[in-house]
């Protein structure tokens, strides 16, 4: 059954309610990210989903206003903030290709002279954060201010427990940063960069917050206040990289099942964009072996199936 939507937000609510009911009956919801101790205790059966329309109307189901650890979801916003400042020069330091390897892999960096495959694996996100840090002096603070403004929630903040947990278990990210620095692809001192990166990943936000904050990508680069962050072409670039690289080495399967630009995080969140129409965020902490929310991917799959909304 396909439920075709109109411009009224009311028509999305039955879809979200149906998805939440189906998800509640689904066994095998995956496991939380246990390599970050602060995330390991999260209940894998938690679930929330929100949709935000272009005018800022937002609504949802389940725990859609419950803050969670955004983790790699924030890489989209850091990418947009840096791309807005330096444009195409950024792509000389990070690629736009799927990696085909785990998100924290070091393997390809040596073969490719310290240039990460894309901005959404950890190595690429470190490069983007480094470049934003050079341009702003406080990459994490710049990101937080942006998310507060776009979500309309001034209470958004860093989770100090999560940041400390990641710092204590961040040897692999430190290795990535030092390795890229040896190729001249990192400008700032590695300890400074790692602090910025871990703070960035620790931001806690809800599905409602993130659906609203992602709206500029559905509005082709226009922020919530009507100002332009990205050109239409740059917004297309970000959406394209989300589609091809946003769910680690499961991006092909995500595109096949969901058919939307999306970005996941190991906190269990996934954001997705329907250009020109709406943005979504779904959260459930149970992950599959590739680091994506099991219930989150399933929910987005059902959303595009039930509504017929897809980029394809």
């Amino acid at each position: 059954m396909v439920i075709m939507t109109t411009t009224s937000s009311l028509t999305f609510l039955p879809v979200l309610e149906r998805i939440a009911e189906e998800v509640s009956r689904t066994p095998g919801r995956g496991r939380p990210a246990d390599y970050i101790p602060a995330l390991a205790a999260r209940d894998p059966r938690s679930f929330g989903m929100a949709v935000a329309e272009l005018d800022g109307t937002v609504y949802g189901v389940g725990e859609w206003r419950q803050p969670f650890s955004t983790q790699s979801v924030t890489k989209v916003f850091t990418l947009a903030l840096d791309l807005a400042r330096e444009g195409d020069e950024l792509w000389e330091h990070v690629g736009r290709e799927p990696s085909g390897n785990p998100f924290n892999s070091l393997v390809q960096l040596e073969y490719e002279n310290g240039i990460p495959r894309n901005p959404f694996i950890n190595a690429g996100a470190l490069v983007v954060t480094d470049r934003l840090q050079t341009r702003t002096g406080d990459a994490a603070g710049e990101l937080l201010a942006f998310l507060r403004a776009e979500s309309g929630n001034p209470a958004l903040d860093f989770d100090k427990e999560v940041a400390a947990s990641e710092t204590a278990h961040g040897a692999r990210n430190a290795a990535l940063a030092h390795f890229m620095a040896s190729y001249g692809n990192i400008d700032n001192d590695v300890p400074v960069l790692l602090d910025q990166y871990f703070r960035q990943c620790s931001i806690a936000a809800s599905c409602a917050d993130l659906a609203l904050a992602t709206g500029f990508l559905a509005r082709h680069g226009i922020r919530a206040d009507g100002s332009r962050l990205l050109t239409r072409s740059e917004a297309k670039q970000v959406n394209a990289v989300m589609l091809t690289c946003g769910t680690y080495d499961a991006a092909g399967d995500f595109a096949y099942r969901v058919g939307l630009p999306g970005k996941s995080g190991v906190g269990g969140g996934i954001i997705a964009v329907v250009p020109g129409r709406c943005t979504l965020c779904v959260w459930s902490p149970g992950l599959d072996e590739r680091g994506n929310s099991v219930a989150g991917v399933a929910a987005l799959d059902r959303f595009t199936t039930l509504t017929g909304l897809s980029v394809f």
Side-chain angles (χ1 to χ4, degrees):
M1 176 183 179
V2 177
I3 303 173
M4 297 304 293
T5 61
T6 68
T7 56
S8 169
S9 64
L10 293 177
T11 58
F12 277 132
L13 289 175
V15 177
L16 297 185
E17 289 167 353
R18 177 171 172 178
I19 291 169
E21 195 276 330
E22 290 179 3
V23 166
S24 71
R25 294 187 280 106
T26 303
R29 299 273 284 275
R31 298 175 57 186
D34 54 10
Y35 64 93
I36 301 174
L39 301 182
R42 300 299 190 261
D43 181 1
R45 297 198 63 82
S46 295
F47 176 82
M49 187 172 185
V51 175
E53 295 191 284
L54 301 187
D55 64 359
T57 302
V58 61
Y59 42 92
V61 291
E63 299 171 72
W64 66 295
R65 292 197 179 277
Q66 172 65 41
F68 62 89
S69 187
T70 55
Q71 294 295 311
S72 290
V73 170
T74 59
K75 294 173 182 177
V76 170
F77 306 105
T78 306
L79 172 62
L81 289 169
D82 187 72
L83 188 61
R85 285 166 169 79
E86 65 170 322
D88 285 346
E89 184 182 343
L90 168 63
W91 303 118
E92 298 174 12
H93 301 269
V94 62
R96 301 185 292 270
E97 296 294 335
S99 69
N101 284 311
F103 57 85
N104 59 356
S105 173
L106 289 119
V107 173
Q108 287 169 327
L109 282 176
E110 185 166 13
Y111 293 117
E112 298 176 355
N113 300 314
I115 305 295
R117 275 290 177 98
N118 66 70
F120 295 148
I121 55 175
N122 286 16
L126 284 163
V127 167
V128 176
T129 299
D130 177 67
R131 299 187 69 76
L132 186 62
Q133 175 69 13
T134 297
R135 283 154 182 76
T136 66
D138 184 8
E142 192 77 13
L143 169 65
L144 181 61
F146 178 82
L147 292 176
R148 286 174 171 174
E150 296 305 292
S151 68
N153 183 1
L156 292 186
D157 211 343
F158 305 109
D159 185 322
K160 294 180 181 178
E161 178 190 1
V162 171
S165 185
E166 295 205 58
T167 299
H169 298 82
R172 177 64 66 96
N173 285 312
L176 290 167
H178 281 294
F179 193 82
M180 291 186 293
S182 74
Y183 281 93
N185 202 24
I186 295 293
D187 295 331
N188 294 277
D189 291 340
V190 169
V192 172
L193 169 58
L194 291 174
D195 177 66
Q196 290 288 326
Y197 180 71
F198 293 142
R199 289 171 66 215
Q200 164 189 317
C201 292
S202 79
I203 292 174
S206 69
C207 291
D209 296 325
L210 291 173
L212 287 167
T214 309
F216 72 99
L217 290 173
R219 294 187 293 267
H220 308 295
I222 301 295
R223 295 185 58 169
D225 64 3
S227 64
R228 181 170 287 280
L229 175 69
L230 301 175
T231 67
R232 192 180 182 96
S233 177
E234 288 168 341
K236 181 193 72 173
Q237 291 171 10
V238 174
N239 280 327
V241 178
M242 286 173 69
L243 180 67
T244 58
C245 308
T247 46
Y248 311 122
D249 55 335
D253 186 63
F254 186 83
Y256 176 84
R257 292 181 60 186
V258 177
L260 293 175
K263 181 70 193 85
S264 62
V266 296
I270 307 175
I271 56 174
V273 180
V274 184
R277 183 58 191 275
C278 65
T279 48
L280 304 100
C281 180
V282 61
W283 168 66
S284 186
L287 310 179
D288 62 21
E289 67 279 1
R290 291 171 172 174
N292 298 310
S293 171
V294 173
V297 174
L300 291 170
D301 182 358
R302 290 299 288 152
F303 179 85
T304 54
T305 298
L306 291 170
T307 63
L309 293 173
S310 165
V311 298
F312 300 112

